Amino acid sequence: MKLEDIYQFFENPPPTYLCQELAVCYILSVLLQGESYGTELIEQLETKYPVYRLSDTVLYSAIKFLEDQRAIAGYWKKLEGRGRPRRMYQVSAEWQVQAQDLAFLWQDYINGRKK
């Protein structure tokens, strides 16, 4: 390591990977806006919040948690221009209020980090 490496780190920090708790809140914030599938959730995060990353492992463990809680429902759908059907997810009707609360935590976290 060189002294310049330290300055370089702070000028261009590496992306921050979301933990499962943040991933749950992020997923709900996206799904409240409409249905989505796993790869799209990762791509949206990298596009909208380029300083963050979401690993497949954390994504799918968060999705499993949300399905086990019956917060989201998954179903298969063939998308135009895509090869195989995708597993789409949407927020269940009975979880709308709680999903909004958790999505707010994500927004609050993101807004707090921008300061």
Side-chain angles (χ1 to χ4, degrees):
M1 180 170 75
K2 296 178 255 165
L3 191 56
E4 304 91 58
D5 295 336
I6 296 169
Y7 290 109
Q8 183 63 31
F9 175 87
F10 286 97
E11 286 176 23
N12 294 310
T16 302
Y17 279 83
L18 300 187
C19 61
Q20 188 172 349
E21 293 83 357
L22 283 172
V24 164
C25 297
Y26 164 71
I27 291 165
L28 290 171
S29 75
V30 172
L31 295 181
L32 282 167
Q33 297 169 33
E35 66 184 14
S36 191
Y37 58 94
T39 305
E40 186 177 50
L41 289 166
I42 290 173
E43 290 169 355
Q44 282 184 24
L45 178 72
E46 291 177 6
T47 301
K48 191 167 182 184
Y49 307 103
V51 297
Y52 295 103
R53 295 291 182 273
L54 181 55
S55 71
D56 288 348
T57 304
V58 172
L59 171 71
Y60 288 106
S61 65
I63 286 174
K64 179 165 179 11
F65 169 79
L66 288 167
E67 284 185 308
D68 290 347
Q69 297 296 310
R70 298 197 172 145
I72 64 174
Y75 59 94
W76 293 99
K77 181 177 180 181
K78 176 82 169 107
L79 297 176
E80 186 80 25
R82 297 285 183 169
R84 59 182 176 81
R86 304 286 180 190
R87 182 90 172 143
M88 303 298 289
Y89 300 98
Q90 61 186 16
V91 177
S92 60
E94 58 273 4
W95 256 75
Q96 290 291 317
V97 172
Q98 185 145 16
Q100 288 173 0
D101 288 344
L102 293 171
F104 176 77
L105 293 176
W106 166 253
Q107 290 301 322
D108 195 44
Y109 176 81
I110 291 301
N111 292 335
R113 300 286 284 209
K114 288 181 183 174
K115 294 177 183 173

